[in-house]
Amino acid sequence: MIKRRIDLFGKSARHYDVFLDLLTFGQYAVFLKRAVDMLAPERGEKILDICSGTGRVASWIAQSVGKEGEVVGMDISKGMIDVATNRRKGLGNVVFLQKDVTASWEYQNYFNGIFASFAMHELPGSKRLEILKESYLALKENGRMVIGDFNSQVSGKGKTISLIFFRLFEKENLDFFSFDQNEMLRKVGFKKIRDFPVLSNILQITEALKI
């Protein structure tokens, strides 16, 4: 992620969730909740939220894992981490780390689940495979990863709409459409990969298992 976009996320952190909810008529939150439902966090589990932003999703997951569980949120933006830490300070089972997720995480066989929402398309193309490798290593056996994002393999009218959006707002990330996410998941070792299309296949929720 280039510095300009990191700065943008940091400056918009306080109003980020409200802005996206208004912009999408509430469908942003609906999509996130659907992806969390697919992750299905259970009491006592340890869950990692990659590029955790304001910590909204992490707070939902924390309620599911309970005080016996643990939620770790990672984000490169200090502004996002500050907002997340302040807003979720009443949750004793959540910790937010300011960390570049493209660097080594130093977690191995630790998490039951890993969640990533609208993170993969923001990451540098050369680093996406590394993130998936780190995710695989960080998961326990029988762990799962859930990714909610734009569908990089969208076709037809959906691809036209996606490309228009990216050229207007995400032109630094246009290389995302040459990224075959499922192939890369298989390459690092994930099995039983399932895709669930959303919004005419423009968005997608992917579940990948480590077995």
Side-chain angles (χ1 to χ4, degrees), residues 2 19 30 36 57 96 103 105 109 114 128 135 142 174 176 189:
I2 63 173
F19 173 74
V30 170
V36 171
V57 168
F96 294 102
W105 300 350
N109 301 311
I114 294 178
R128 291 180 187 128
S135 298
N142 299 313
L174 277 165
F176 180 66

Side-chain angles (χ1 to χ4, degrees), residues 2-207:
I2 63 173
K3 186 177 184 302
R4 184 179 67 82
R5 291 188 66 78
I6 296 171
D7 291 342
L8 175 64
F9 284 122
K11 291 176 181 177
S12 64
R14 287 177 56 198
H15 309 292
Y16 184 80
D17 292 333
V18 172
F19 173 74
L20 285 180
D21 285 342
L22 290 173
L23 184 66
T24 63
F25 300 98
Q27 292 307 300
Y28 173 66
V30 170
F31 178 78
L32 294 180
K33 287 179 179 178
R34 182 173 174 182
V36 171
D37 286 345
M38 190 170 298
L39 181 69
E42 298 181 356
R43 187 163 295 276
E45 288 193 319
K46 297 176 180 178
I47 307 292
L48 172 65
D49 185 6
I50 300 172
C51 300
S52 52
T54 64
R56 175 157 68 166
V57 168
S59 70
W60 297 341
I61 295 172
Q63 294 174 40
S64 297
V65 302
K67 62 182 181 180
E68 305 92 339
E70 177 184 355
V71 181
V72 176
M74 289 184 188
D75 203 288
I76 195 172
S77 166
K78 183 179 183 302
M80 286 291 189
I81 291 296
D82 287 346
V83 167
T85 301
N86 184 57
R87 289 182 181 175
R88 322 299 171 187
K89 58 188 176 183
L91 297 172
N93 58 349
V94 183
V95 59
F96 294 102
L97 307 176
Q98 185 186 357
K99 184 172 180 60
D100 181 355
V101 299
T102 66
S104 175
W105 300 350
E106 300 174 357
Y107 285 105
Q108 289 198 8
N109 301 311
Y110 188 80
F111 295 105
N112 302 102
I114 294 178
F115 186 82
S117 62
F118 295 103
M120 294 304 297
H121 80 273
E122 288 283 359
L123 297 170
S126 61
K127 296 293 186 178
R128 291 180 187 128
L129 178 61
E130 294 302 316
I131 297 299
L132 297 180
K133 285 181 180 178
E134 289 288 334
S135 298
Y136 187 82
L137 291 173
L139 280 172
K140 296 179 179 181
E141 288 298 318
N142 299 313
R144 71 278 188 197
M145 183 175 191
V146 170
I147 302 169
D149 212 317
F150 293 96
N151 179 7
S152 64
Q153 302 299 298
V154 66
S155 59
K157 292 182 180 179
K159 185 167 187 177
T160 300
I161 294 170
S162 295
L163 288 174
I164 290 172
F165 176 85
F166 268 65
R167 284 171 181 148
L168 287 173
F169 304 108
E170 302 261 7
K171 57 185 177 182
E172 301 93 340
N173 300 319
L174 277 165
D175 68 329
F176 180 66
F177 293 99
S178 63
F179 174 65
D180 189 333
Q181 179 172 276
N182 288 1
E183 180 183 343
M184 295 300 104
L185 285 166
R186 285 188 287 269
K187 186 172 183 177
V188 302
F190 282 101
K191 309 293 184 185
K192 291 189 178 180
I193 300 165
R194 299 189 299 166
D195 295 322
F196 299 86
V198 180
L199 194 63
S200 300
N201 218 25
I202 293 173
L203 302 180
Q204 180 174 271
I205 301 171
T206 298
E207 178 190 55

